[in-house]
Amino acid sequence: MPHDGDARAAAPGLRAPGNGDSGPSRPTPEPAARERVLAFAGVVLAAVYVRSEDGAELRRVEAAGLEPERYGLAGRVRVSTGSTGSPVTGADDSAAGAGTDQGGPGTDQGGPGTGPGRAETDQGRAGTDPGRPEAAPPARAAGAGGGGSVVVEAYRGGRAVWVRGAVAGGREGGGGVSVPLGALPLGAAGGWLGCLVVVGEAGEGFGSEQREFLERYAEAVAGRLRGEADRSAPSPLLDSALRAMGVGSFALTPGTGLVETDPALLELIGIPEDGFDGKTDTLLSYSVPEDVPALMSVIEPSAQTPGRRELEFRIRRPTGELCWLRLGCRLLKAPDGAPQRVLGVVTAAPVLRRGASDVARIQWLTAALDDATTVRDVSRVVVAALREPLGADRVALAELLEDRLAVTVLDPPAAAAWPELWRSEWRSEWPDAPVGALPTLQAALRDGRMSLWPAGAVLEPGLAGIGPGGLAVLPLPAKSRVAGVCLVGWDAPHEFAPEERALLTATAGLVGQALKRAHAYDAEQELATMLQRSLLPRRLPRLPGGTAVARYLPARRGLQVGGDWYDVIALSEGKVALVIGDVQGHSAGAATIMGQMRTAVRAYAVEGHPPDVVVAHANRLLVGMETDLFATCCYVELDMEEGNALFVRAGHLSPLVRHPDGGTEEIAVEGGLPLGVLAEADFPLTALALAPGSVLALVTDGLVESAELHLDEGMRLVREALAAADPADPGRMADELLGEAGRREDDVALLLLRYDGMRVRPVRAGWVVWRLPDAVMHARRFCARTLRSWDLVAEADTVLLVVSELVTNALVHTQGPVRVDLTLAADRLRVTVSDSSPRSPAKPVVVDWESTGGRGLFLVEALSTAWGSVPVGGGKQVWSEIVVSRPQPEPDPPKEAEPAPRAEPERERQSGWGLGWGISRNRDRNRDRSRDRSRGRGPGRGRSEERGPR
């Protein structure tokens, strides 16, 4: 009966390499990944034999599964000329004794129990030709004279040998068991390193799918063996070979909904090991809906389900990448025929070879091109469909753009693998091949027919090096024109069979349509990306006392444009506005409304309106657009000197703040209606003071909400990420808040501001200018007093001249109030004159030498480091910045020793040295000021004022 019970319930561990002796099996609680894979292939025992240093024998260095002695697998097999050894014997009635050594000189005639120092004896040839159908199970050939060895035959012949009914497990004259056997050479022609011997379950043979998988397994084992420094005692090969193949395994019991997997399978799908709950539904959630019915037939098989199945299916990884996987499974049934257990392996589609059927290839290519959206995706599919299945050495795909070929993929990508003409045209990533320099391509593109050039054909230098053994030139038709061309080249001589010609023709038609569709998609996405970038800020301004960073990620569906926006607006007097918003929808219309709203909010903010007025104006603007879309917005005005912030929220998410101690909270901002809903909506203000070291975070709902993530849970996760991030690098903090770049249902905007506080706080003074005949004089006096109090003497004349010109212009050319403000920050003095006119001052084009005016702005420009005009609410501000030098403080002279104060009672010390001294000093100051007034000299009058206005 088939061996499918104890060996899987308690899989034996790996045997230590040696000379044939092995210890008892070590059962494990669950079948290991290797045991599941071997059980899927129908293998109950796998053994690796490695050639000895002298090449005279093969030594068994590793075994997995049941005990080798159970099937007569010896520890050593002699392979030297003139003698053979057989670990397993069998006989074929039609070929018993054929081709065997007859025990000539040097042949050891000992029995199976021969000691480890001697070669095992042959007991008859037990091989069948893998190219012909398997014969019926042969009878045991005990005593047949001599007999060839299956292992030796595979090793010497360099080919896999498969035996359907090898007789093993008994001595001559005793009972034995008939089991399938396979021996696969390890290495390459002229350098065979050993053999992989596999024993199947009794009564079952190795099918074509099993043989194909085991041959791939042998290739992987040989690859690991080549890398061993000491091949006589290599590290474990069987497990490492499976890892190198990228084979994932699973086992499940129908009806339970649970599945056992290994890390390789989870890695193929993209599931972290600690994030898998062991349920089949979780695995199905990653598959494409169209492939779920086929997978369900594997998970829940019926009594009529065949014992073995293979299918290819698609999954979408958490990153959004669409991948093809191939599944092979084996169904184990109970004695009554009911499904009992399913064992299977999963690999990436290229690992297990696709079927050679042309229909299967076209089906696979059609499905793969249907999922390819970009030109680069189409290029990858073409390489996968043509190079490996056809054994080609080079594949090139190029789009036809006017008279040039824009190459989209070259495989292999190294420039040295392509002709010199292509290398000379290498621009950045790929070359641009001129069609005029390639007459063969030019003719093929003009006629639109495939051209096949056999080995030795005379081609122009630009094509000769692509396929010296054969070249296929495939124009890619797309409706009424040719979209591009595909080149497939071989180094060795290649014959184009009729079936292959038909396959290439069908492939070219499919690829041409897909390439045209992908080109249109790429153009659409490029336009959308340019639109999105043009509507968002190209860079954020540098802020005094803080650092702002922003991130935007488009949604991964449809057009990659959306309505999320952000902005950072530098206002006057050390204030900054932070804006984040979201327009309903993910379309070009939403992006257009977003751009209009961002421009409007910026314009209203720069005019100097308070936050609630800015948002109210933007709301009325959106209502007046008569659009069906609405928008949410959060507006913050922050005083960078004091840390005072004013918040306005219009239907948007509340902002988050990270305090200097690492704690986070959601700011309770009173909200209003979304923009565009009601023209007369109110938007209340909320005030909050930020401490230096705080981080303010404004987000959109795409970051915190999705179909699988509730809004409250998303906000909690963002708060935790904000608390764990390092505020020293706001850019990295923003990247950590975005998390993994997985599938996004909505676009995401994120704006962070780290408030550091002003290291040097500006000093300010202001004066309201009255419209009097001597108004300019009073403005100059105010500025002179202020400059003296700030110890700014050297540049006083320059500053007073600039003040005179700006105040005079404001009084002459505007109506309404005028105000002068002085701001000192570090070594910069800023003079600002505000008036009620929105018009910016303009310098005259021509100033005649006889003119009595028109030179004021020229003087301001010449005396200022920088100057300009900015609009504010109710008018404008004309400003000028002047670099000033502040006097260095003189060192204090050494203090003389003072006599110790006389001890006095507490009452006397308070009345005499305390308050009384301060009052008398203030009286002296008041007396001096009164004396100055009586002499006609003002308290702030100095040298500059005595000169009078200029």
Side-chain angles (χ1 to χ4, degrees), residues 779-781 783-784 787 795-805 944-945:
R780 287 168 56 89
R781 287 181 175 178
C783 294
L787 294 178
E795 293 81 8
D797 291 342
T798 301
V799 174
L800 294 178
L801 180 56
V802 170
V803 170
S804 296
E805 298 299 336
S944 299
E945 281 75 17

Side-chain angles (χ1 to χ4, degrees), residues 530-681:
M530 292 178 59
L531 174 63
Q532 192 77 54
R533 290 178 178 176
S534 64
L535 296 178
L536 291 174
R538 297 184 60 183
R539 63 181 63 87
L540 299 183
R542 288 190 174 184
L543 303 177
T547 303
V549 297
R551 296 289 186 270
Y552 175 80
L553 296 176
R556 292 194 172 183
R557 62 177 182 179
L559 277 177
Q560 293 187 7
V561 294
D564 290 15
W565 92 89
Y566 61 88
D567 206 352
V568 177
I569 309 169
L571 305 176
S572 60
E573 299 180 356
K575 294 182 180 180
V576 61
L578 308 177
V579 192
I580 195 165
D582 184 3
V583 177
Q584 175 192 9
H586 307 91
S587 62
T592 303
I593 296 295
M594 176 267 287
Q596 293 173 317
M597 294 305 300
R598 173 177 171 260
T599 303
V601 170
R602 171 174 279 270
Y604 295 138
V606 169
E607 286 185 353
H609 298 292
D612 54 341
V613 176
V614 171
V615 177
H617 284 358
N619 174 59
R620 284 192 290 270
L621 176 66
L622 184 57
V623 172
M625 290 182 184
E626 297 182 354
T627 177
D628 295 333
L629 302 178
F630 63 86
T632 64
C633 176
C634 183
Y635 185 98
V636 184
E637 183 179 285
L638 177 61
D639 186 343
M640 302 301 289
E641 297 179 17
E642 304 295 336
N644 297 324
L646 296 176
F647 296 84
V648 175
R649 187 166 65 90
H652 201 79
L653 298 174
S654 297
L656 304 174
V657 62
R658 183 188 190 276
H659 298 293
D661 59 359
T664 61
E665 68 171 314
E666 185 176 336
I667 303 176
V669 178
E670 188 175 355
L673 292 175
L675 305 180
V677 176
L678 183 63
E680 302 302 326

Side-chain angles (χ1 to χ4, degrees), residues 12 88 164 166 209 217 230 254 320 341 370 390 401 440 462 538 601 612 691 693 699 751 807 831 838 852 861 892:
V88 181
R164 181 176 180 183
E209 296 85 0
Y217 192 21
D230 183 9
R341 193 161 175 80
D370 183 59
L390 299 181
L401 302 178
T440 302
R538 297 184 60 183
V601 170
D612 54 341
V699 302
L751 180 59
V807 172
V831 178
T852 58
E861 184 178 24
D892 296 334

Side-chain angles (χ1 to χ4, degrees), residues 299-313:
I299 296 174
E300 298 294 342
S302 63
Q304 291 76 30
T305 303
R308 292 187 177 275
R309 290 192 59 194
E310 285 195 4
L311 60 92
E312 289 187 356
F313 64 100

Side-chain angles (χ1 to χ4, degrees), residues 747-765:
D747 48 344
V748 175
L750 170 65
L751 180 59
L752 296 182
L753 174 75
R754 186 188 66 198
Y755 173 66
D756 302 325
M758 303 285 283
R759 295 184 178 180
V760 179
R761 290 196 174 188
V763 182
R764 290 189 173 88

Side-chain angles (χ1 to χ4, degrees), residues 3 49 84 97 118 120-121 175 224 238 255 305 336 415 469 525 533 549 603 642 795 804 827 855 857 866 880 889:
H3 185 87
Y49 284 82
T84 61
R118 305 174 61 189
E120 303 296 333
T121 62
R224 309 301 295 180
L238 296 175
T305 303
D336 58 355
Q525 291 301 317
R533 290 178 178 176
V549 297
E642 304 295 336
E795 293 81 8
S804 296
D827 62 343
R855 298 181 177 85
L857 293 181
S880 167

